[in-house]
Amino acid sequence: MGLGDDIKNKAQEAAGKVKEGFGDATDNQSLQAEGKTDQAKAKAKQAGEDIKDAAKDVRDDLR
């Protein structure tokens, strides 16, 4: 995984936390849900990147 992908995922997760926090502060359930969704998407992308990295490591070890 590239550093750029990691940064993008962390930025999306942070933005989701901010959005969720703002939704909490304003009692806006829709904004809270959007923030949680953004965080979940970022974590899923990160997990996918981690799996690709692990598979690449295994492939490299087999060579």
Side-chain angles (χ1 to χ4, degrees):
M1 169 181 63
L3 181 60
D5 291 332
D6 191 35
I7 292 170
K8 284 181 190 178
N9 293 338
K10 292 294 182 186
Q12 183 179 9
E13 186 176 353
K17 286 181 182 183
V18 169
K19 195 181 286 188
E20 181 184 5
F22 190 72
D24 287 340
T26 60
D27 199 29
N28 184 331
Q29 293 180 348
S30 177
L31 201 53
Q32 290 171 334
E34 285 181 36
K36 288 181 181 181
T37 299
D38 289 348
Q39 290 175 67
K41 286 179 182 179
K43 288 178 183 178
K45 287 179 190 177
Q46 188 64 43
E49 293 294 334
D50 291 344
I51 290 169
K52 286 195 299 189
D53 287 345
K56 183 182 178 296
D57 290 344
V58 168
R59 185 181 68 223
D60 291 345
D61 288 345
L62 292 175
R63 288 184 182 177

